[in-house]
PDB file of all heavy atoms in Angstrom:
ATOM      1  N   HIS A   1      -3.774   6.605   1.263  1.00  0.00           N
ATOM      2  CA  HIS A   1      -4.326   6.526   2.607  1.00  0.00           C
ATOM      3  C   HIS A   1      -4.269   5.092   3.145  1.00  0.00           C
ATOM      4  O   HIS A   1      -5.224   4.540   3.684  1.00  0.00           O
ATOM      5  CB  HIS A   1      -5.815   6.998   2.601  1.00  0.00           C
ATOM      6  CG  HIS A   1      -5.985   8.438   2.276  1.00  0.00           C
ATOM      7  ND1 HIS A   1      -5.637   9.449   3.127  1.00  0.00           N
ATOM      8  CD2 HIS A   1      -6.487   9.016   1.151  1.00  0.00           C
ATOM      9  CE1 HIS A   1      -5.878  10.625   2.554  1.00  0.00           C
ATOM     10  NE2 HIS A   1      -6.397  10.399   1.344  1.00  0.00           N
ATOM     11  N   THR A   2      -3.077   4.532   3.041  1.00  0.00           N
ATOM     12  CA  THR A   2      -2.866   3.134   3.457  1.00  0.00           C
ATOM     13  C   THR A   2      -2.109   3.019   4.779  1.00  0.00           C
ATOM     14  O   THR A   2      -1.693   1.920   5.165  1.00  0.00           O
ATOM     15  CB  THR A   2      -2.107   2.317   2.366  1.00  0.00           C
ATOM     16  OG1 THR A   2      -0.845   2.987   2.103  1.00  0.00           O
ATOM     17  CG2 THR A   2      -2.926   2.254   1.084  1.00  0.00           C
ATOM     18  N   ASP A   3      -1.951   4.139   5.517  1.00  0.00           N
ATOM     19  CA  ASP A   3      -1.171   4.096   6.756  1.00  0.00           C
ATOM     20  C   ASP A   3      -1.708   3.078   7.769  1.00  0.00           C
ATOM     21  O   ASP A   3      -0.944   2.512   8.535  1.00  0.00           O
ATOM     22  CB  ASP A   3      -1.129   5.478   7.432  1.00  0.00           C
ATOM     23  CG  ASP A   3      -0.309   6.473   6.626  1.00  0.00           C
ATOM     24  OD1 ASP A   3       0.430   6.046   5.689  1.00  0.00           O
ATOM     25  OD2 ASP A   3      -0.379   7.685   6.897  1.00  0.00           O
ATOM     26  N   ASN A   4      -3.008   2.881   7.792  1.00  0.00           N
ATOM     27  CA  ASN A   4      -3.623   2.011   8.746  1.00  0.00           C
ATOM     28  C   ASN A   4      -3.914   0.616   8.197  1.00  0.00           C
ATOM     29  O   ASN A   4      -4.537  -0.212   8.891  1.00  0.00           O
ATOM     30  CB  ASN A   4      -4.909   2.611   9.297  1.00  0.00           C
ATOM     31  CG  ASN A   4      -4.654   3.907  10.035  1.00  0.00           C
ATOM     32  OD1 ASN A   4      -3.816   3.943  10.938  1.00  0.00           O
ATOM     33  ND2 ASN A   4      -5.332   4.994   9.655  1.00  0.00           N
ATOM     34  N   LEU A   5      -3.464   0.332   6.979  1.00  0.00           N
ATOM     35  CA  LEU A   5      -3.734  -0.976   6.373  1.00  0.00           C
ATOM     36  C   LEU A   5      -3.202  -2.119   7.178  1.00  0.00           C
ATOM     37  O   LEU A   5      -3.795  -3.183   7.293  1.00  0.00           O
ATOM     38  CB  LEU A   5      -3.155  -1.012   4.944  1.00  0.00           C
ATOM     39  CG  LEU A   5      -3.331  -2.289   4.152  1.00  0.00           C
ATOM     40  CD1 LEU A   5      -4.813  -2.631   3.973  1.00  0.00           C
ATOM     41  CD2 LEU A   5      -2.694  -2.197   2.773  1.00  0.00           C
ATOM     42  N   CYS A   6      -2.057  -1.878   7.863  1.00  0.00           N
ATOM     43  CA  CYS A   6      -1.421  -2.959   8.662  1.00  0.00           C
ATOM     44  C   CYS A   6      -2.320  -3.420   9.817  1.00  0.00           C
ATOM     45  O   CYS A   6      -2.107  -4.495  10.372  1.00  0.00           O
ATOM     46  CB  CYS A   6      -0.074  -2.525   9.186  1.00  0.00           C
ATOM     47  SG  CYS A   6      -0.128  -1.095  10.274  1.00  0.00           S
ATOM     48  N   HIS A   7      -3.282  -2.607  10.220  1.00  0.00           N
ATOM     49  CA  HIS A   7      -4.188  -2.985  11.288  1.00  0.00           C
ATOM     50  C   HIS A   7      -5.285  -3.921  10.813  1.00  0.00           C
ATOM     51  O   HIS A   7      -6.025  -4.520  11.617  1.00  0.00           O
ATOM     52  CB  HIS A   7      -4.841  -1.745  11.917  1.00  0.00           C
ATOM     53  CG  HIS A   7      -3.846  -0.856  12.609  1.00  0.00           C
ATOM     54  ND1 HIS A   7      -3.555  -0.955  13.941  1.00  0.00           N
ATOM     55  CD2 HIS A   7      -3.068   0.139  12.139  1.00  0.00           C
ATOM     56  CE1 HIS A   7      -2.635  -0.070  14.249  1.00  0.00           C
ATOM     57  NE2 HIS A   7      -2.337   0.637  13.171  1.00  0.00           N
ATOM     58  N   TYR A   8      -5.389  -4.070   9.515  1.00  0.00           N
ATOM     59  CA  TYR A   8      -6.460  -4.857   8.920  1.00  0.00           C
ATOM     60  C   TYR A   8      -5.961  -6.031   8.051  1.00  0.00           C
ATOM     61  O   TYR A   8      -6.678  -6.969   7.787  1.00  0.00           O
ATOM     62  CB  TYR A   8      -7.369  -3.978   8.065  1.00  0.00           C
ATOM     63  CG  TYR A   8      -8.061  -2.895   8.818  1.00  0.00           C
ATOM     64  CD1 TYR A   8      -7.496  -1.646   8.975  1.00  0.00           C
ATOM     65  CD2 TYR A   8      -9.321  -3.125   9.373  1.00  0.00           C
ATOM     66  CE1 TYR A   8      -8.151  -0.648   9.662  1.00  0.00           C
ATOM     67  CE2 TYR A   8      -9.977  -2.117  10.070  1.00  0.00           C
ATOM     68  CZ  TYR A   8      -9.387  -0.887  10.226  1.00  0.00           C
ATOM     69  OH  TYR A   8     -10.013   0.104  10.944  1.00  0.00           O
ATOM     70  N   LYS A   9      -4.713  -5.924   7.585  1.00  0.00           N
ATOM     71  CA  LYS A   9      -4.205  -6.910   6.652  1.00  0.00           C
ATOM     72  C   LYS A   9      -2.690  -7.093   6.855  1.00  0.00           C
ATOM     73  O   LYS A   9      -2.002  -6.118   7.064  1.00  0.00           O
ATOM     74  CB  LYS A   9      -4.494  -6.484   5.223  1.00  0.00           C
ATOM     75  CG  LYS A   9      -4.057  -7.431   4.151  1.00  0.00           C
ATOM     76  CD  LYS A   9      -4.430  -6.903   2.755  1.00  0.00           C
ATOM     77  CE  LYS A   9      -3.991  -7.860   1.660  1.00  0.00           C
ATOM     78  NZ  LYS A   9      -4.363  -7.343   0.316  1.00  0.00           N
ATOM     79  N   LYS A  10      -2.216  -8.312   6.804  1.00  0.00           N
ATOM     80  CA  LYS A  10      -0.797  -8.560   6.972  1.00  0.00           C
ATOM     81  C   LYS A  10      -0.018  -8.040   5.783  1.00  0.00           C
ATOM     82  O   LYS A  10      -0.338  -8.325   4.641  1.00  0.00           O
ATOM     83  CB  LYS A  10      -0.525 -10.067   7.120  1.00  0.00           C
ATOM     84  CG  LYS A  10       0.946 -10.411   7.377  1.00  0.00           C
ATOM     85  CD  LYS A  10       1.116 -11.859   7.659  1.00  0.00           C
ATOM     86  CE  LYS A  10       2.614 -12.224   7.826  1.00  0.00           C
ATOM     87  NZ  LYS A  10       3.258 -11.450   8.897  1.00  0.00           N
ATOM     88  N   LEU A  11       1.005  -7.232   6.060  1.00  0.00           N
ATOM     89  CA  LEU A  11       1.881  -6.685   5.007  1.00  0.00           C
ATOM     90  C   LEU A  11       3.247  -7.269   5.193  1.00  0.00           C
ATOM     91  O   LEU A  11       3.675  -7.635   6.271  1.00  0.00           O
ATOM     92  CB  LEU A  11       1.938  -5.174   5.105  1.00  0.00           C
ATOM     93  CG  LEU A  11       0.590  -4.419   5.056  1.00  0.00           C
ATOM     94  CD1 LEU A  11       0.814  -2.902   5.246  1.00  0.00           C
ATOM     95  CD2 LEU A  11      -0.118  -4.696   3.763  1.00  0.00           C
ATOM     96  N   TRP A  12       3.992  -7.345   4.077  1.00  0.00           N
ATOM     97  CA  TRP A  12       5.355  -7.944   4.138  1.00  0.00           C
ATOM     98  C   TRP A  12       6.236  -7.153   5.052  1.00  0.00           C
ATOM     99  O   TRP A  12       7.151  -7.715   5.660  1.00  0.00           O
ATOM    100  CB  TRP A  12       5.963  -8.015   2.745  1.00  0.00           C
ATOM    101  CG  TRP A  12       6.278  -6.670   2.150  1.00  0.00           C
ATOM    102  CD1 TRP A  12       5.508  -5.899   1.385  1.00  0.00           C
ATOM    103  CD2 TRP A  12       7.531  -5.951   2.276  1.00  0.00           C
ATOM    104  NE1 TRP A  12       6.100  -4.719   1.032  1.00  0.00           N
ATOM    105  CE2 TRP A  12       7.387  -4.744   1.555  1.00  0.00           C
ATOM    106  CE3 TRP A  12       8.731  -6.237   2.926  1.00  0.00           C
ATOM    107  CZ2 TRP A  12       8.382  -3.780   1.485  1.00  0.00           C
ATOM    108  CZ3 TRP A  12       9.746  -5.282   2.842  1.00  0.00           C
ATOM    109  CH2 TRP A  12       9.573  -4.079   2.124  1.00  0.00           C
ATOM    110  N   SER A  13       6.031  -5.862   5.201  1.00  0.00           N
ATOM    111  CA  SER A  13       6.934  -4.994   5.963  1.00  0.00           C
ATOM    112  C   SER A  13       6.533  -4.853   7.437  1.00  0.00           C
ATOM    113  O   SER A  13       7.276  -4.265   8.216  1.00  0.00           O
ATOM    114  CB  SER A  13       6.999  -3.611   5.325  1.00  0.00           C
ATOM    115  OG  SER A  13       5.687  -3.035   5.281  1.00  0.00           O
ATOM    116  N   THR A  14       5.367  -5.326   7.816  1.00  0.00           N
ATOM    117  CA  THR A  14       4.897  -5.116   9.204  1.00  0.00           C
ATOM    118  C   THR A  14       4.218  -6.392   9.700  1.00  0.00           C
ATOM    119  O   THR A  14       3.656  -7.163   8.935  1.00  0.00           O
ATOM    120  CB  THR A  14       3.872  -3.998   9.256  1.00  0.00           C
ATOM    121  OG1 THR A  14       2.720  -4.309   8.428  1.00  0.00           O
ATOM    122  CG2 THR A  14       4.455  -2.663   8.813  1.00  0.00           C
ATOM    123  N   PRO A  15       4.254  -6.627  11.030  1.00  0.00           N
ATOM    124  CA  PRO A  15       3.503  -7.737  11.559  1.00  0.00           C
ATOM    125  C   PRO A  15       2.034  -7.453  11.508  1.00  0.00           C
ATOM    126  O   PRO A  15       1.598  -6.294  11.456  1.00  0.00           O
ATOM    127  CB  PRO A  15       3.987  -7.796  13.011  1.00  0.00           C
ATOM    128  CG  PRO A  15       4.406  -6.365  13.327  1.00  0.00           C
ATOM    129  CD  PRO A  15       4.968  -5.843  12.015  1.00  0.00           C
ATOM    130  N   LEU A  16       1.231  -8.504  11.497  1.00  0.00           N
ATOM    131  CA  LEU A  16      -0.213  -8.323  11.483  1.00  0.00           C
ATOM    132  C   LEU A  16      -0.711  -7.843  12.822  1.00  0.00           C
ATOM    133  O   LEU A  16      -0.400  -8.436  13.858  1.00  0.00           O
ATOM    134  CB  LEU A  16      -0.888  -9.653  11.104  1.00  0.00           C
ATOM    135  CG  LEU A  16      -2.434  -9.638  11.144  1.00  0.00           C
ATOM    136  CD1 LEU A  16      -2.978  -8.684  10.090  1.00  0.00           C
ATOM    137  CD2 LEU A  16      -2.988 -11.018  10.930  1.00  0.00           C
ATOM    138  N   ILE A  17      -1.477  -6.782  12.822  1.00  0.00           N
ATOM    139  CA  ILE A  17      -2.158  -6.358  14.025  1.00  0.00           C
ATOM    140  C   ILE A  17      -3.624  -6.779  13.836  1.00  0.00           C
ATOM    141  O   ILE A  17      -4.261  -6.356  12.871  1.00  0.00           O
ATOM    142  CB  ILE A  17      -2.059  -4.842  14.177  1.00  0.00           C
ATOM    143  CG1 ILE A  17      -0.588  -4.442  14.275  1.00  0.00           C
ATOM    144  CG2 ILE A  17      -2.803  -4.373  15.438  1.00  0.00           C
ATOM    145  CD1 ILE A  17      -0.338  -2.967  14.270  1.00  0.00           C
ATOM    146  N   PRO A  18      -4.162  -7.610  14.689  1.00  0.00           N
ATOM    147  CA  PRO A  18      -5.504  -8.151  14.449  1.00  0.00           C
ATOM    148  C   PRO A  18      -6.538  -7.044  14.208  1.00  0.00           C
ATOM    149  O   PRO A  18      -6.449  -5.977  14.788  1.00  0.00           O
ATOM    150  CB  PRO A  18      -5.815  -8.881  15.759  1.00  0.00           C
ATOM    151  CG  PRO A  18      -4.460  -9.221  16.323  1.00  0.00           C
ATOM    152  CD  PRO A  18      -3.562  -8.091  15.933  1.00  0.00           C
ATOM    153  N   GLU A  19      -7.470  -7.344  13.292  1.00  0.00           N
ATOM    154  CA  GLU A  19      -8.470  -6.371  12.929  1.00  0.00           C
ATOM    155  C   GLU A  19      -9.276  -5.925  14.165  1.00  0.00           C
ATOM    156  O   GLU A  19      -9.682  -6.738  14.952  1.00  0.00           O
ATOM    157  CB  GLU A  19      -9.422  -6.950  11.907  1.00  0.00           C
ATOM    158  CG  GLU A  19     -10.523  -5.983  11.490  1.00  0.00           C
ATOM    159  CD  GLU A  19     -11.380  -6.555  10.392  1.00  0.00           C
ATOM    160  OE1 GLU A  19     -11.032  -7.591   9.808  1.00  0.00           O
ATOM    161  OE2 GLU A  19     -12.425  -5.955  10.139  1.00  0.00           O
ATOM    162  N   ILE A  20      -9.422  -4.632  14.289  1.00  0.00           N
ATOM    163  CA  ILE A  20     -10.171  -4.064  15.400  1.00  0.00           C
ATOM    164  C   ILE A  20     -11.247  -3.181  14.801  1.00  0.00           C
ATOM    165  O   ILE A  20     -10.936  -2.173  14.161  1.00  0.00           O
ATOM    166  CB  ILE A  20      -9.243  -3.226  16.347  1.00  0.00           C
ATOM    167  CG1 ILE A  20      -8.092  -4.049  16.827  1.00  0.00           C
ATOM    168  CG2 ILE A  20     -10.057  -2.661  17.513  1.00  0.00           C
ATOM    169  CD1 ILE A  20      -7.037  -3.285  17.554  1.00  0.00           C
ATOM    170  N   ARG A  21     -12.486  -3.537  14.967  1.00  0.00           N
ATOM    171  CA  ARG A  21     -13.577  -2.861  14.250  1.00  0.00           C
ATOM    172  C   ARG A  21     -13.576  -1.372  14.601  1.00  0.00           C
ATOM    173  O   ARG A  21     -13.820  -0.539  13.724  1.00  0.00           O
ATOM    174  CB  ARG A  21     -14.896  -3.498  14.606  1.00  0.00           C
ATOM    175  CG  ARG A  21     -16.048  -2.747  13.924  1.00  0.00           C
ATOM    176  CD  ARG A  21     -17.351  -3.511  14.065  1.00  0.00           C
ATOM    177  NE  ARG A  21     -18.425  -2.715  13.502  1.00  0.00           N
ATOM    178  CZ  ARG A  21     -19.652  -3.139  13.317  1.00  0.00           C
ATOM    179  NH1 ARG A  21     -19.968  -4.370  13.636  1.00  0.00           N
ATOM    180  NH2 ARG A  21     -20.570  -2.351  12.801  1.00  0.00           N
ATOM    181  N   ASP A  22     -13.296  -1.003  15.862  1.00  0.00           N
ATOM    182  CA  ASP A  22     -13.347   0.409  16.232  1.00  0.00           C
ATOM    183  C   ASP A  22     -11.961   1.023  16.304  1.00  0.00           C
ATOM    184  O   ASP A  22     -11.699   1.939  17.045  1.00  0.00           O
ATOM    185  CB  ASP A  22     -14.073   0.585  17.573  1.00  0.00           C
ATOM    186  CG  ASP A  22     -13.412  -0.159  18.700  1.00  0.00           C
ATOM    187  OD1 ASP A  22     -12.447  -0.932  18.454  1.00  0.00           O
ATOM    188  OD2 ASP A  22     -13.840   0.023  19.857  1.00  0.00           O
ATOM    189  N   TYR A  23     -11.056   0.512  15.487  1.00  0.00           N
ATOM    190  CA  TYR A  23      -9.688   1.043  15.448  1.00  0.00           C
ATOM    191  C   TYR A  23      -9.711   2.555  15.224  1.00  0.00           C
ATOM    192  O   TYR A  23     -10.342   3.029  14.309  1.00  0.00           O
ATOM    193  CB  TYR A  23      -8.847   0.337  14.368  1.00  0.00           C
ATOM    194  CG  TYR A  23      -7.486   0.939  14.233  1.00  0.00           C
ATOM    195  CD1 TYR A  23      -6.541   0.743  15.233  1.00  0.00           C
ATOM    196  CD2 TYR A  23      -7.131   1.715  13.131  1.00  0.00           C
ATOM    197  CE1 TYR A  23      -5.289   1.291  15.134  1.00  0.00           C
ATOM    198  CE2 TYR A  23      -5.889   2.300  13.030  1.00  0.00           C
ATOM    199  CZ  TYR A  23      -4.955   2.070  14.026  1.00  0.00           C
ATOM    200  OH  TYR A  23      -3.728   2.658  13.933  1.00  0.00           O
ATOM    201  N   MET A  24      -8.991   3.279  16.090  1.00  0.00           N
ATOM    202  CA  MET A  24      -8.905   4.724  16.017  1.00  0.00           C
ATOM    203  C   MET A  24     -10.303   5.372  16.009  1.00  0.00           C
ATOM    204  O   MET A  24     -10.528   6.449  15.417  1.00  0.00           O
ATOM    205  CB  MET A  24      -8.130   5.185  14.766  1.00  0.00           C
ATOM    206  CG  MET A  24      -6.638   4.826  14.814  1.00  0.00           C
ATOM    207  SD  MET A  24      -5.748   5.462  13.403  1.00  0.00           S
ATOM    208  CE  MET A  24      -5.896   7.250  13.686  1.00  0.00           C
ATOM    209  N   GLY A  25     -11.245   4.692  16.663  1.00  0.00           N
ATOM    210  CA  GLY A  25     -12.553   5.297  16.765  1.00  0.00           C
ATOM    211  C   GLY A  25     -13.394   5.093  15.517  1.00  0.00           C
ATOM    212  O   GLY A  25     -14.540   5.623  15.441  1.00  0.00           O
ATOM    213  N   CYS A  26     -12.888   4.360  14.535  1.00  0.00           N
ATOM    214  CA  CYS A  26     -13.627   4.179  13.282  1.00  0.00           C
ATOM    215  C   CYS A  26     -14.439   2.908  13.345  1.00  0.00           C
ATOM    216  O   CYS A  26     -13.866   1.825  13.525  1.00  0.00           O
ATOM    217  CB  CYS A  26     -12.675   4.174  12.121  1.00  0.00           C
ATOM    218  SG  CYS A  26     -13.493   3.987  10.524  1.00  0.00           S
ATOM    219  N   GLY A  27     -15.722   2.990  13.146  1.00  0.00           N
ATOM    220  CA  GLY A  27     -16.599   1.803  13.201  1.00  0.00           C
ATOM    221  C   GLY A  27     -16.753   1.161  11.838  1.00  0.00           C
ATOM    222  O   GLY A  27     -17.613   0.282  11.704  1.00  0.00           O
ATOM    223  N   ALA A  28     -16.019   1.618  10.843  1.00  0.00           N
ATOM    224  CA  ALA A  28     -16.136   1.037   9.497  1.00  0.00           C
ATOM    225  C   ALA A  28     -15.606  -0.400   9.491  1.00  0.00           C
ATOM    226  O   ALA A  28     -14.692  -0.752  10.222  1.00  0.00           O
ATOM    227  CB  ALA A  28     -15.374   1.876   8.482  1.00  0.00           C
ATOM    228  N   ILE A  29     -16.198  -1.228   8.646  1.00  0.00           N
ATOM    229  CA  ILE A  29     -15.853  -2.653   8.563  1.00  0.00           C
ATOM    230  C   ILE A  29     -15.062  -2.900   7.315  1.00  0.00           C
ATOM    231  O   ILE A  29     -15.525  -2.664   6.203  1.00  0.00           O
ATOM    232  CB  ILE A  29     -17.112  -3.510   8.588  1.00  0.00           C
ATOM    233  CG1 ILE A  29     -17.957  -3.239   9.838  1.00  0.00           C
ATOM    234  CG2 ILE A  29     -16.766  -5.015   8.474  1.00  0.00           C
ATOM    235  CD1 ILE A  29     -19.328  -3.818   9.757  1.00  0.00           C
ATOM    236  N   HIS A  30     -13.831  -3.377   7.497  1.00  0.00           N
ATOM    237  CA  HIS A  30     -12.947  -3.668   6.351  1.00  0.00           C
ATOM    238  C   HIS A  30     -13.413  -4.935   5.673  1.00  0.00           C
ATOM    239  O   HIS A  30     -13.588  -5.961   6.312  1.00  0.00           O
ATOM    240  CB  HIS A  30     -11.508  -3.801   6.799  1.00  0.00           C
ATOM    241  CG  HIS A  30     -10.529  -4.052   5.724  1.00  0.00           C
ATOM    242  ND1 HIS A  30      -9.697  -5.148   5.721  1.00  0.00           N
ATOM    243  CD2 HIS A  30     -10.270  -3.390   4.557  1.00  0.00           C
ATOM    244  CE1 HIS A  30      -8.956  -5.133   4.630  1.00  0.00           C
ATOM    245  NE2 HIS A  30      -9.310  -4.082   3.911  1.00  0.00           N
ATOM    246  N   ILE A  31     -13.560  -4.877   4.352  1.00  0.00           N
ATOM    247  CA  ILE A  31     -14.067  -6.052   3.617  1.00  0.00           C
ATOM    248  C   ILE A  31     -13.096  -6.482   2.527  1.00  0.00           C
ATOM    249  O   ILE A  31     -13.426  -7.210   1.601  1.00  0.00           O
ATOM    250  CB  ILE A  31     -15.465  -5.719   3.037  1.00  0.00           C
ATOM    251  CG1 ILE A  31     -16.198  -7.006   2.653  1.00  0.00           C
ATOM    252  CG2 ILE A  31     -15.388  -4.722   1.908  1.00  0.00           C
ATOM    253  CD1 ILE A  31     -17.637  -6.806   2.210  1.00  0.00           C
ATOM    254  N   GLY A  32     -11.828  -5.993   2.603  1.00  0.00           N
ATOM    255  CA  GLY A  32     -10.842  -6.380   1.616  1.00  0.00           C
ATOM    256  C   GLY A  32     -10.539  -7.892   1.658  1.00  0.00           C
ATOM    257  O   GLY A  32     -10.196  -8.421   2.705  1.00  0.00           O
ATOM    258  N   THR A  33     -10.695  -8.558   0.514  1.00  0.00           N
ATOM    259  CA  THR A  33     -10.574  -9.996   0.354  1.00  0.00           C
ATOM    260  C   THR A  33     -11.395 -10.758   1.373  1.00  0.00           C
ATOM    261  O   THR A  33     -10.937 -11.740   2.008  1.00  0.00           O
ATOM    262  CB  THR A  33      -9.066 -10.425   0.472  1.00  0.00           C
ATOM    263  OG1 THR A  33      -8.260  -9.463  -0.248  1.00  0.00           O
ATOM    264  CG2 THR A  33      -8.832 -11.786  -0.171  1.00  0.00           C
ATOM    265  N   LYS A  34     -12.650 -10.309   1.528  1.00  0.00           N
ATOM    266  CA  LYS A  34     -13.586 -10.945   2.445  1.00  0.00           C
ATOM    267  C   LYS A  34     -14.977 -10.947   1.811  1.00  0.00           C
ATOM    268  O   LYS A  34     -15.251 -10.192   0.887  1.00  0.00           O
ATOM    269  CB  LYS A  34     -13.627 -10.209   3.754  1.00  0.00           C
ATOM    270  CG  LYS A  34     -12.365 -10.236   4.562  1.00  0.00           C
ATOM    271  CD  LYS A  34     -12.501  -9.459   5.837  1.00  0.00           C
ATOM    272  CE  LYS A  34     -11.183  -9.467   6.624  1.00  0.00           C
ATOM    273  NZ  LYS A  34     -11.279  -8.635   7.835  1.00  0.00           N
ATOM    274  N   VAL A  35     -15.809 -11.808   2.350  1.00  0.00           N
ATOM    275  CA  VAL A  35     -17.240 -11.861   1.965  1.00  0.00           C
ATOM    276  C   VAL A  35     -18.041 -11.683   3.241  1.00  0.00           C
ATOM    277  O   VAL A  35     -17.801 -12.331   4.229  1.00  0.00           O
ATOM    278  CB  VAL A  35     -17.578 -13.180   1.289  1.00  0.00           C
ATOM    279  CG1 VAL A  35     -19.045 -13.218   0.879  1.00  0.00           C
ATOM    280  CG2 VAL A  35     -16.715 -13.425   0.060  1.00  0.00           C
ATOM    281  N   LYS A  36     -18.986 -10.759   3.190  1.00  0.00           N
ATOM    282  CA  LYS A  36     -19.842 -10.490   4.330  1.00  0.00           C
ATOM    283  C   LYS A  36     -21.293 -10.429   3.899  1.00  0.00           C
ATOM    284  O   LYS A  36     -21.622 -10.181   2.740  1.00  0.00           O
ATOM    285  CB  LYS A  36     -19.473  -9.138   4.969  1.00  0.00           C
ATOM    286  CG  LYS A  36     -18.054  -8.998   5.487  1.00  0.00           C
ATOM    287  CD  LYS A  36     -17.870  -9.663   6.804  1.00  0.00           C
ATOM    288  CE  LYS A  36     -16.487  -9.349   7.386  1.00  0.00           C
ATOM    289  NZ  LYS A  36     -16.311  -9.999   8.725  1.00  0.00           N
ATOM    290  N   LYS A  37     -22.188 -10.612   4.860  1.00  0.00           N
ATOM    291  CA  LYS A  37     -23.643 -10.463   4.599  1.00  0.00           C
ATOM    292  C   LYS A  37     -24.165  -9.384   5.536  1.00  0.00           C
ATOM    293  O   LYS A  37     -23.959  -9.426   6.756  1.00  0.00           O
ATOM    294  CB  LYS A  37     -24.357 -11.766   4.820  1.00  0.00           C
ATOM    295  CG  LYS A  37     -25.795 -11.784   4.336  1.00  0.00           C
ATOM    296  CD  LYS A  37     -26.353 -13.211   4.333  1.00  0.00           C
ATOM    297  CE  LYS A  37     -27.775 -13.235   3.780  1.00  0.00           C
ATOM    298  NZ  LYS A  37     -28.773 -12.667   4.726  1.00  0.00           N
TER     299      LYS A  37
END
């Protein structure tokens, strides 16, 4: 289920699309290689 990973993280095969919290209507917060409080 990594089709939308490029919207959250730069991949070698795709340009980075800046993280959008409500991407595709999803309000989930991506925390991969991040620290949040």
Side-chain angles (χ1 to χ4, degrees):
H1 295 289
T2 56
D3 290 348
N4 297 307
L5 180 59
C6 63
H7 295 268
Y8 297 90
K9 182 178 179 180
K10 182 174 177 59
L11 304 177
W12 68 271
S13 58
T14 60
L16 175 65
I17 301 173
E19 180 176 348
I20 304 171
R21 178 171 175 172
D22 59 353
Y23 175 70
M24 292 184 65
C26 181
I29 302 168
H30 181 236
I31 197 175
T33 318
K34 295 179 182 177
V35 180
K36 300 281 189 180
K37 190 168 183 288

